[in-house]
Amino acid sequence: MPRRESPQHLKARTRKIIGRLKKNYPHANTALTFSNPLQLLIATILSAQCTDERVNMVTPGLFAKYRSAHDFANAIQEELEREIYSTGFFRNKARNIIACCKELVAKHDGDVPSDMEALVNLPGVGRKTANCVLGGAFGRAEGVVVDTHVLRLSGRLGFSREKTPQKVEQGLMKIVPRKEWYAISNLLILHGRNICDARKPACPECKLHDLCPSAEKYLKMFWR
């Protein structure tokens, strides 16, 4: 367990980490393919327990058929289930997508709202999905997207000792400048995929090793 450090030192180290990650991943953004807020909302719902690559294989045909919230709201659930089957949990996702879009039509004229409270009140939409949509589609920083990569790297980098996405998000919001709230998620996700693997982090290749309180442990464990 990384030792505790002062809040001032932690904030300064966090800024250095963000700076280095930006140099390594200058074009970091969500890997989900979308053209408008509704498409990002649907893609994010589909991405639960599924890879972005798989979602991006499904959505071109899906978005060609369902072009608006009205279209999704009027979808036949069994048909939608077949169309999103490969993303997993297809029954629950189809049910949520239809219910969510019915709510968009009934309360938001078919448009995706651009504020946190309205988004999280939509069926099947939690803070993670809302943060992804707000940051990716509207450029608004209301929180931090915490997926499995962000959760894992937040612990390894000493950003947070918490174990739940909600508590990790609150911790990150205290040490990461607000203007970087959306960026930090995409940066950590890319770094988690490319370097800081769950099973065997590639510490010898990592540009953060001198700023990472877990590097020495993993170097001894896997690379010596």
Side-chain angles (χ1 to χ4, degrees):
M1 179 69 69
R3 64 180 178 82
R4 293 190 182 277
E5 59 188 313
S6 69
Q8 295 79 8
H9 187 273
L10 176 57
K11 288 181 179 180
R13 184 167 63 83
T14 301
R15 287 182 172 85
K16 290 180 181 179
I17 287 173
I18 292 171
R20 289 194 194 177
L21 288 174
K22 282 187 169 182
K23 288 183 180 179
N24 288 337
Y25 310 105
H27 306 295
N29 211 325
T30 179
L32 295 170
T33 301
F34 68 98
S35 299
N36 56 55
L38 177 65
Q39 290 186 359
L40 180 56
L41 175 60
I42 300 301
T44 306
I45 292 173
L46 293 175
S47 70
Q49 304 298 314
C50 179
T51 65
D52 292 343
E53 291 78 9
R54 170 56 59 182
V55 173
N56 288 338
M57 292 173 65
V58 170
T59 50
L62 196 67
F63 295 154
K65 180 176 180 180
Y66 304 98
R67 297 179 177 275
S68 68
H70 292 79
D71 293 339
F72 279 109
N74 294 319
I76 297 172
Q77 183 168 327
E78 290 75 13
E79 288 185 10
L80 184 56
E81 288 176 2
R82 288 194 293 271
E83 290 157 345
I84 66 172
Y85 176 84
S86 64
T87 68
F89 301 95
F90 57 93
R91 290 192 180 90
N92 190 51
K93 290 178 181 180
R95 189 182 308 113
N96 283 337
I97 287 170
I98 292 172
C100 177
C101 287
K102 284 182 176 179
E103 191 89 350
L104 289 178
V105 171
K107 295 185 177 181
H108 303 282
D109 296 322
D111 296 324
V112 177
S114 60
D115 66 275
M116 175 65 74
E117 183 177 0
L119 280 169
V120 296
N121 281 323
L122 295 171
V125 177
R127 279 193 64 89
K128 176 185 169 184
T129 297
N131 279 324
C132 186
V133 172
L134 288 172
F138 297 107
R140 295 191 59 181
E142 297 293 333
V144 178
V145 177
V146 179
D147 74 344
T148 55
H149 294 292
V150 176
L151 193 66
R152 180 176 73 255
L153 269 66
S154 292
R156 289 180 175 177
L157 289 168
F159 291 159
S160 175
R161 293 170 177 259
E162 300 293 345
K163 303 298 182 183
T164 65
Q166 296 82 0
K167 290 185 177 180
V168 169
E169 181 189 5
Q170 293 302 311
L172 288 173
M173 289 166 67
K174 293 177 181 178
I175 62 173
V176 175
R178 183 165 188 149
K179 65 179 181 179
E180 307 289 7
W181 282 0
Y182 182 64
I184 188 67
S185 299
N186 294 316
L187 292 167
L188 291 178
I189 288 169
L190 283 173
H191 196 63
R193 288 173 177 165
N194 295 326
I195 300 294
C196 200
D197 183 75
R199 295 182 179 178
K200 186 180 180 181
C203 297
E205 303 173 32
C206 183
K207 303 299 184 182
L208 305 178
H209 65 274
D210 61 314
L211 296 173
C212 177
S214 301
E216 185 177 354
K217 177 182 73 173
Y218 287 115
L219 282 168
K220 290 179 179 178
M221 186 181 301
F222 295 114
W223 301 101
R224 290 182 183 175

